[in-house]
Amino acid sequence: METRSIMIVGVGGQGTLLASRILGNVFMSQGYDVKVSEVHGMSQRGGSVVTYVKYGDKVYSPVVEKGEADVIISFEQLETERWLPYLKKGGKIVTSDQRLDPMPVITGAAQYPEDIINRISALGVDVTAVDALGLAEQAGSAKAANVVLMGVVSKKLPFEESVWQAALDKCVPQKFIELNKKAFELGRGTADE
Amino acid sequence: MPMKKLMLGNEAFARGLYESGCEFVSSYPGTPSTEVTEFAAKYDEIYAEWAPNEKVAMEAALGASIAGKRSFCGMKHVGLNVAADPLYTAGYTGVGGGMVICVADDPGLHSSQNEQDSRHHAIASKVLMLEPSDSLECKNYVKKAFELSERFDTPVIVRLSTRIAHSQSIVELEEREEYISQPYEKNAAKYVMMPAFAKKRHTVVEQRLKAAAEYAEECPLNTVEYNDTDIGIITAGNCYLYAKEALGDNASYLKLGMVNPLPVKLIKDFAAKCGRLYVIEELDDIIETHCLKHGINVQGKELFGFEGEISQAIVREKLLGIRPQTISLDEIAPARPPVMCAGCPHRGLFYCLQQLGVFVSGDIGCYTLGAAAPLSAMDTTICMGASVSALHGYNKALGREAEKKSVAVIGDSTFMHSGITGLVNIAYNATNSTVIILDNSITGMTGHQQNPTTGMNLKGDPAAAVDLEALCRAVGINSVRVVDPYKMAETKAVIAEELEKEEPSVIISRRPCALLKYVKHSAPLKVDEKKCVGCKQCLKIGCPAISMSGGKSVIDHTQCVGCGICKELCRPAAIG
């Protein structure tokens, strides 16, 4: 199979690394070659962060470049806009509708763009936006927004739910597994609405 | 069937140490190298420690090697500058048990102050250097590196880049093979590097390098892959992956797993079979220069340049003229630079410094973010420890008035790394400098590593803790004060007092990192809409949890940890 590319974008501290680990485990369990590229260090401190997950028969480069992503999973609206040029024509976006003002907006040096999701939709892009934060709080913790998004994405990729459940078991500490399974179900449920 | 695992390059590197029978690890944390040592520490069979700096780490590893064990030390590219002194002479002494050094370069400066190419250190110190291109190779190259270290009697460097260190790929695990220690035998001619002995060892170094260059011709890590031979690619590490993804079978490849010394005949043979030859390498033109020196006509830097990362897109564009098709909104999205976290103890201190309008000699750590708007309270950042030593020079150059308007800021771990010697200089050579140690009880930016001030070691056991106050007094600083940066008025007053004093002083700004698990957070604060006058005073501290909505400030309850800094600035007392 030709290599598929997924990007997980968000703000440092939002839990993008766990999301990439879950995806990596899902693809590996299905017998694919997998590469996951993370960013550690300075940009994790509230900066714009991106993680790449690629799978296929043989994956070479660990990074995803402009126009190459089959799916972009975004934790925040402005980040969805920022990384949009990385989407392949015909690719899909799954995004949280959360809005986090970056420092230039807080200080008044820039304005947060309005109506991002609708404007991207209007370009003909397949965008699914969910209240990941609200659903995560409903599951028991705002921190589980990453797993809510995994639930939404699970409906967009051709793998059985049990495969995702197994990856959750592997990646999430036992202490938080119930909370995260609930978050996953809530995310997965949004696709049926 | 062997067990397969998705592993970070750094985790696989640590697995390689384990499987090689390595018993001793000493490192200093530095992105992107840190996790090698953290993962190594998880194996009970490996003794692992955080040293105060890279020089100490490398000397400790060399000592363990001389004692006959397989040893390791890891660091980022700039860390190898600190450890360059032992490295260059370790090349002369050679090893007892095998010694492997990890150096992780950071092309694209994801988390560094410069973009230097560590291959220069391998060439200059005349030691062998290997460069893997994925996690499996990380593990296997480490095993090869120990073998070569013992075969050629030299430390061997394994070079990583951010994309290799921080990418996960699939690794097949193997069993650990215990290494049989080489008994230490006194050998002054090999280990005592005074001129008479060192002169003879230099001859050994040159002979070794020659032998290693011959080995490079047949080294199994240097591989040739012939496909379409119109285009021949000479490359190494992650650049091999980019080339392979962009060009596939439409090119032939010479992948160099050993990057110092480089082969000559192997490259000439490859060149003879290919049409156009390209060298694809990040940062400097090491392979390209080597080719040109040996009369092999290649193209490299004139296409790819010396700065930043290369990628499959760049290879496609430069060699095939293909540009990506993209979709975008027709506007520039506001940037999102990294910021100090909500509740960060550095925030209050930097606000005080901004208000005092002083020259701030900065250093390397999370607090370097004090340079960013809206705090903008930093004048210089150079390298680990430079805040303290450069402040002394600045003050000597400008005299008493400058001393009253300047400070150095340095974290607890960075102070132990190389700030202490600068402080000794301030006391000994007498400037009335004011040094602020930002003691957040952890090494923060690299992801929470213990250090000699925290009272815990890498394995999580209790350890001796440096008493910073006593240490500063012991080197000759009589005025040592401790402040809590959450109490801004008091902090600002203490800094102002110390700046006025006719003696050097140290202020320890002490408050643990807000991300530490044991730190208890207060309830999130709220803005009373009726009282808020929209003056935006609370926005001046650059807290990511505070923003404006409808002319009033709002606090994001998911981020706020109730530190109260904003409350101190709110004149109408709307925050509570």
Side-chain angles (χ1 to χ4, degrees):
Chain A
M1 191 193 85
E2 200 184 313
T3 298
R4 304 261 165 193
S5 300
I6 295 176
M7 285 173 78
I8 304 168
V9 304
V11 178
Q14 279 191 312
T16 52
L17 290 188
L18 175 66
S20 67
R21 273 160 208 238
I22 293 169
L23 285 176
N25 271 282
V26 165
F27 303 144
M28 193 181 159
S29 73
Q30 298 306 294
Y32 291 113
D33 187 24
V34 179
K35 278 193 179 157
V36 179
S37 185
E38 309 172 347
V39 176
H40 300 211
M42 191 171 243
S43 49
Q44 275 186 292
R45 301 279 173 264
S48 170
V49 291
V50 55
T51 302
Y52 311 110
V53 184
K54 295 170 80 165
Y55 67 104
D57 292 337
K58 173 74 188 160
V59 181
Y60 290 102
S61 168
V63 301
V64 178
E65 279 282 344
K66 282 183 181 166
E68 290 183 356
D70 295 281
V71 181
I72 294 179
I73 303 164
S74 172
F75 285 54
E76 202 271 349
Q77 289 191 41
L78 176 59
E79 296 312 309
T80 313
E81 172 175 340
R82 186 186 319 287
W83 296 98
L84 177 62
Y86 284 72
L87 193 71
K88 188 186 272 181
K89 286 221 161 136
K92 291 176 182 156
I93 294 178
V94 169
T95 181
S96 167
D97 66 6
Q98 193 181 354
R99 173 185 156 153
L100 280 171
D101 286 1
M103 202 46 67
V105 170
I106 290 176
T107 61
Q111 288 225 315
Y112 197 100
E114 292 301 324
D115 206 23
I116 292 172
I117 292 168
N118 287 330
R119 285 193 293 132
I120 293 176
S121 273
L123 296 173
V125 177
D126 178 347
V127 187
T128 308
V130 292
D131 176 15
L133 200 60
L135 292 172
E137 282 177 339
Q138 204 179 314
S141 167
K143 290 194 175 129
N146 50 7
V147 177
V148 170
L149 289 172
M150 288 297 100
V152 183
V153 171
S154 73
K155 281 278 195 177
K156 311 268 173 196
L157 293 170
F159 306 109
E160 297 287 325
E161 185 173 357
S162 59
V163 172
W164 293 87
Q165 296 288 355
L168 277 180
D169 283 327
K170 221 169 162 183
C171 301
V172 175
Q174 200 49 44
K175 223 165 65 176
F176 303 113
I177 192 74
E178 281 316 309
L179 187 162
N180 279 289
K181 287 205 162 167
K182 199 170 167 200
F184 182 83
E185 284 311 322
L186 287 170
R188 201 170 157 87
T190 58
D192 301 325
E193 281 164 13
Chain B
M1 217 176 87
M3 190 181 154
K4 285 185 176 179
K5 204 180 163 202
L6 196 55
M7 281 182 155
L8 269 185
N10 283 347
E11 183 181 5
F13 198 118
R15 180 73 194 187
L17 295 173
Y18 167 78
E19 290 180 5
S20 303
C22 176
E23 285 181 75
F24 183 93
V25 168
S26 184
S27 302
Y28 185 79
T31 313
S33 71
T34 311
E35 299 83 2
V36 176
T37 300
E38 289 182 323
F39 280 109
K42 292 185 179 174
Y43 295 105
D44 290 338
E45 293 85 347
I46 302 177
Y47 167 80
E49 64 180 25
W50 289 128
N53 66 35
E54 296 85 354
K55 172 171 148 59
V56 174
M58 190 175 291
E59 289 157 353
L62 182 59
S65 160
I66 290 169
K69 306 279 189 191
R70 283 190 163 179
S71 73
F72 167 79
C73 60
M75 59 206 66
K76 68 184 294 175
H77 60 321
V78 285
L80 191 56
N81 301 339
V82 178
D85 200 0
L87 172 67
Y88 283 52
T89 303
Y92 276 40
T93 64
V95 300
M99 177 172 163
V100 170
I101 299 159
C102 168
V103 60
D105 285 7
D106 190 17
L109 301 105
H110 295 276
S111 203
S112 302
Q113 68 269 38
N114 75 27
E115 213 175 8
Q116 70 184 51
D117 188 327
S118 293
R119 292 178 296 175
H120 291 292
H121 273 308
I123 295 166
S125 65
K126 309 193 177 196
V127 305
L128 278 59
M129 181 181 255
L130 310 182
E131 185 170 356
S133 72
D134 63 17
S135 297
L136 180 61
E137 286 187 0
C138 282
K139 180 178 82 90
N140 291 341
Y141 279 34
V142 169
K143 296 168 89 165
K144 191 73 184 172
F146 276 114
E147 186 193 314
L148 295 175
S149 170
E150 284 147 14
R151 172 170 166 182
F152 289 100
D153 188 15
T154 174
V156 173
I157 303 174
V158 179
R159 179 197 190 218
L160 303 179
S161 66
T162 300
R163 295 302 180 187
I164 302 303
H166 286 167
S167 290
Q168 300 179 52
S169 58
I170 298 169
V171 177
E172 274 182 24
L173 307 185
E174 294 164 282
E175 294 301 315
R176 176 176 169 97
E177 275 181 46
E178 290 303 333
Y179 173 70
I180 297 153
S181 283
Q182 305 300 303
Y184 170 71
E185 277 174 40
K186 188 166 176 158
N187 186 350
K190 175 164 158 45
Y191 291 124
V192 180
M193 286 302 94
M194 53 202 263
F197 292 147
K199 208 170 182 175
K200 293 197 174 112
R201 289 300 297 178
H202 189 183
T203 310
V204 175
V205 169
E206 297 304 331
Q207 286 166 347
R208 173 213 297 151
L209 200 59
K210 214 173 146 202
E214 279 164 26
Y215 169 77
E217 305 291 354
E218 68 200 55
C219 173
L221 307 184
N222 295 335
T223 54
V224 179
E225 182 187 330
Y226 288 112
N227 303 303
D228 190 323
T229 51
D230 283 353
I231 296 179
I233 304 290
I234 305 168
T235 186
N238 42 328
C239 290
Y240 165 72
L241 304 174
Y242 303 144
K244 190 77 190 169
E245 179 146 329
L247 308 170
D249 292 345
N250 299 319
S252 294
Y253 304 89
L254 170 54
K255 176 178 179 291
L256 298 163
M258 184 157 96
V259 291
N260 191 57
L262 289 165
V264 177
K265 190 174 173 294
L266 185 67
I267 299 178
K268 280 189 174 168
D269 288 350
F270 178 75
K273 290 188 180 123
C274 294
R276 281 172 296 153
L277 280 176
Y278 299 101
V279 172
I280 306 181
E281 58 188 325
E282 279 170 341
L283 303 179
D284 291 341
D285 52 352
I286 307 278
I287 300 171
E288 183 179 352
T289 305
H290 172 80
C291 290
L292 297 176
K293 179 178 159 190
H294 291 283
I296 305 157
N297 196 16
V298 295
Q299 260 191 306
K301 289 296 158 190
E302 72 177 271
L303 290 171
F304 295 100
F306 291 82
E307 296 164 40
E309 295 185 282
I310 293 175
S311 69
Q312 64 271 20
I314 293 175
V315 175
R316 256 184 235 120
E317 186 185 329
K318 300 293 178 188
L319 300 191
L320 305 175
I322 299 171
R323 283 170 177 272
Q325 288 187 301
T326 61
I327 316 158
S328 63
L329 292 179
D330 194 17
E331 63 196 18
I332 295 166
R336 189 185 300 275
V339 291
M340 289 176 191
C341 309
C344 177
H346 302 324
R347 177 171 289 107
L349 183 97
F350 278 95
Y351 185 72
C352 294
L353 295 175
Q354 184 210 59
Q355 292 299 300
L356 289 163
V358 291
F359 172 88
V360 180
S361 182
D363 222 300
I364 308 286
C366 287
Y367 47 92
T368 312
L369 295 170
L375 293 166
S376 309
M378 194 168 286
D379 291 79
T380 61
T381 297
I382 303 151
C383 65
M384 296 281 285
S387 61
V388 184
S389 5
L391 175 68
H392 173 76
Y394 177 87
N395 284 339
K396 275 283 177 201
L398 293 177
R400 184 66 194 119
E401 283 314 302
E403 287 174 345
K404 288 183 186 175
K405 295 289 276 177
S406 64
V407 300
V409 291
I410 184 165
D412 47 339
S413 186
T414 310
F415 182 71
M416 292 314 301
H417 178 283
S418 49
I420 181 71
T421 40
L423 189 65
V424 170
N425 197 38
I426 284 174
Y428 175 54
N429 287 313
T431 46
N432 299 321
S433 295
T434 302
V435 174
I436 303 175
I437 302 174
L438 307 170
D439 180 7
N440 64 349
S441 310
I442 203 72
T443 312
M445 181 59 87
T446 44
H448 286 179
Q449 288 73 35
Q450 303 297 337
N451 70 54
T453 69
T454 63
M456 291 261 269
N457 66 24
L458 168 59
K459 292 270 188 181
D461 298 321
V466 170
D467 179 337
L468 282 175
E469 290 93 313
L471 177 64
C472 294
R473 286 193 192 100
V475 306
I477 308 292
N478 295 317
S479 185
V480 180
R481 313 265 302 261
V482 178
V483 296
D484 176 356
Y486 274 6
K487 296 176 183 161
M488 285 197 296
E490 189 187 315
T491 300
K492 192 174 158 192
V494 168
I495 300 170
E497 279 168 37
E498 294 306 314
L499 285 169
E500 280 302 314
K501 281 188 183 164
E502 300 280 337
E503 63 176 329
S505 44
V506 168
I507 300 167
I508 299 168
S509 174
R510 183 167 285 148
R511 168 67 70 169
C513 171
L515 299 183
L516 282 169
K517 287 208 174 89
Y518 66 79
V519 171
K520 287 215 172 82
H521 295 156
S522 305
L525 297 172
K526 280 184 191 152
V527 178
D528 184 338
E529 268 188 55
K530 285 176 205 145
K531 288 191 190 166
C532 177
V533 295
C535 69
K536 298 186 181 173
Q537 196 61 28
C538 56
L539 297 185
K540 293 189 176 162
I541 50 171
C543 176
I546 310 176
S547 57
M548 293 297 283
S549 177
K552 308 271 178 181
S553 71
V554 199
I555 297 176
D556 174 3
H557 71 280
T558 64
Q559 289 195 69
C560 177
V561 298
C563 76
I565 301 253
C566 55
K567 200 172 158 182
E568 201 174 323
L569 293 178
C570 183
R571 289 195 196 109
I575 299 175

